[in-house]
Amino acid sequence: MSAPSRQRPRPHPADLLGPARSRLQHYLYDLAELVAIDSGSYSPDGVNAVADWVQARLTSLGFAVERIRPPAAAGAPMDALRTGDVLVARKAGRLAEADGGRRILLAAHMDTVFEDGTAAERPFTLDGTHAHGPGVSDDKGGLLAGLTALELLQEQGTSEYAELVFLATSDEEIGSPVSRRITEDVARDMHYALGLECARENGDLVVARKGVADFRLTVTGRAAHAGIEPERGANAALAAAHLVVALQALNGRWDGVTVNVGVVRAGHRPNIVCPEAELRLEVRAATAADVRKVRRAIEDAAACPAVPGTTVTVEQLDDCPPMEATAASHRMLAVAQQAAAALGFTLGATATGGVGDANLIAGTGVPVLDGLGPVGGADHSPQEWLDTATVPERIALLASLITALGNSAA
């Protein structure tokens, strides 16, 4: 029987900063190349061009890359939603799970919110240390930071983990309708997950994200001639109006919970007592328990419509689980903060109402830390920016975090 291989010493975070700095110019060159590709969520060819680029880089790093083409729904029309491919790349480490090795997921997305032609209209530019261009922060800067951190680890000969998995999705900006199941299936086998969205404008990581639940309420009334016999009708529009007031009043009942009735539709003609109305509303909450509380409150309001003769049905159309701050994610944060201190900067953390693929990963029970890309801001706008001065330290931080989490026995 051969003796177990000796574990290599874990590199000190400060030892990774110099190599990360030496990669900055190459990082900027690569970032300009990625930003020049229009890869809006509804532009599968553009997303796939980014996927080609990412796949080649991962393959060169020794990852086995699975490229998953979204399945076409049976009987779907020709103009049905098409998205780009999803990449799931795996690389085994040299530390068995029984010896403390851990499986770590790095998650990023390749799509942006911008239409085709935006990259030509607003090409990549550098203004001092600030880079601009469509997707420069959300999420091409973070995606590239993850790849660069993996290069750093390979150069250092660091593989003290059970497995690294790099997930690059194609439809995050539209709620991940195609990639969600892939993300959840991959995440269930992981010990830790690191989200590569860029850090907040003040440098904070993201330790929690609200969950989102979308509802449709259908109010059914009774039509009647509005001028001759309105008493025979039951006005669904009026019942819906009362519901809007009642539902908006749920704001403030629970800390951190928001309820927004964003769509109201009712009736077809002004001389008919309105027979049907529809409300669409969104709920955001920090915990799954709060989402359940709000749903019960919505159902209670629907059970007692204000207009006699009307009824209300409640449907939950979609849900994105909250990324809750847990004891495990706070332990991950402490490891990150320790590495940041060794790199010479202070690292904070925050909660946000925005959602992303990190929510889906957290919903499987895997602890997640997000916002591990460089510092950026003004996402989804022409002013989107990335602070390139933060790139080396964030790459070194990410590489340090992978090495620390990859070996639970260290």
Side-chain angles (χ1 to χ4, degrees):
M1 179 182 295
S2 61
S5 59
R6 182 191 301 178
Q7 295 183 19
R8 293 185 176 90
R10 191 168 74 197
H12 190 272
D15 295 334
L16 297 172
L17 190 53
R21 284 175 175 152
S22 71
R23 281 173 163 75
L24 179 58
Q25 289 306 312
H26 196 266
Y27 175 97
L28 295 175
Y29 175 85
D30 288 342
L31 185 58
E33 190 173 346
L34 285 173
V35 169
I37 303 172
D38 284 312
S39 59
S41 308
Y42 299 110
S43 302
D45 292 341
V47 172
N48 284 341
V50 175
D52 292 341
W53 195 98
V54 175
Q55 182 174 3
R57 183 65 65 90
L58 288 166
T59 300
S60 72
L61 291 169
F63 280 76
V65 183
E66 178 185 10
R67 186 158 176 161
I68 303 172
R69 179 161 296 175
M78 292 298 292
D79 61 349
L81 171 65
R82 290 181 59 233
T83 63
D85 299 345
V86 178
L87 301 181
V88 181
R90 298 178 181 273
K91 185 176 184 179
R94 56 193 301 273
L95 189 59
E97 187 175 340
D99 296 325
R102 292 293 177 259
R103 296 184 300 276
I104 300 175
L105 173 64
L106 285 79
H109 64 91
M110 301 177 287
D111 61 320
T112 74
V113 299
F114 301 105
E115 300 296 325
D116 287 350
T118 308
E121 293 171 2
R122 291 195 291 107
F124 179 86
T125 59
L126 267 176
D127 181 10
T129 63
H130 278 203
H132 298 274
V136 70
S137 170
D138 187 16
D139 182 33
K140 292 178 178 179
L143 171 76
L144 183 57
L147 294 172
T148 308
L150 295 176
E151 288 179 350
L152 204 60
L153 293 178
Q154 178 170 273
E155 181 185 81
Q156 297 288 319
T158 301
S159 56
E160 305 303 312
Y161 47 80
E163 184 183 40
L164 294 183
V165 178
F166 195 99
L167 172 69
T169 59
S170 57
D171 57 348
E172 188 271 350
E173 294 291 8
I174 55 173
S176 306
V178 172
S179 66
R180 175 171 182 163
R181 180 168 295 182
I182 298 169
T183 297
E184 292 172 336
D185 288 346
V186 170
R188 288 189 181 96
D189 291 330
M190 299 294 109
H191 291 103
Y192 302 106
L194 305 175
L196 300 178
E197 296 281 2
C198 282
R200 305 299 92 176
E201 294 190 15
N202 64 355
D204 282 356
L205 301 185
V206 177
V207 75
R209 292 180 177 274
K210 287 185 178 181
V212 179
D214 293 330
F215 294 88
R216 176 168 58 204
L217 276 63
T218 302
V219 185
T220 302
R222 188 168 55 250
H225 194 295
I228 298 174
E229 46 188 11
E231 70 281 357
R232 292 193 175 187
N235 195 317
L238 179 58
H242 282 280
L243 270 175
V244 170
V245 174
L247 295 171
Q248 290 292 146
L250 295 176
N251 286 290
R253 183 178 296 187
W254 303 278
D255 288 342
V257 172
T258 59
V259 179
N260 181 62
V261 180
V263 177
V264 181
R265 299 189 183 97
H268 302 287
R269 292 175 178 271
N271 61 346
I272 300 174
V273 175
C274 180
E276 188 172 82
E278 178 184 283
L279 307 179
R280 296 283 293 271
L281 63 146
E282 178 196 84
V283 173
R284 295 196 182 222
T287 68
D290 280 343
V291 173
R292 291 192 293 270
K293 290 176 186 175
V294 180
R295 176 173 181 131
R296 286 195 295 269
I298 292 170
E299 291 171 338
D300 289 345
C304 303
V307 177
T310 61
T311 59
V312 183
T313 60
V314 178
E315 302 170 80
Q316 185 167 340
L317 302 176
D318 196 11
D319 73 285
C320 180
M323 171 185 159
E324 299 188 33
T326 65
S329 62
H330 276 290
R331 287 194 294 271
M332 293 173 68
L333 174 62
V335 173
Q337 289 174 326
Q338 184 177 16
L343 290 165
F345 67 96
T346 301
L347 192 63
T350 191
T352 178
V355 302
D357 285 340
N359 292 69
L360 305 179
I361 297 167
T364 68
V366 176
V368 188
L369 199 58
D370 201 3
L372 283 157
V375 175
D379 297 353
H380 299 189
S381 79
Q383 291 74 43
E384 184 177 3
W385 58 270
L386 185 83
D387 185 356
T388 63
T390 68
V391 168
E393 65 185 29
R394 295 291 164 151
I395 290 172
L397 171 67
L398 181 56
S400 298
L401 192 53
I402 293 169
T403 63
L405 296 176
N407 183 0
S408 69

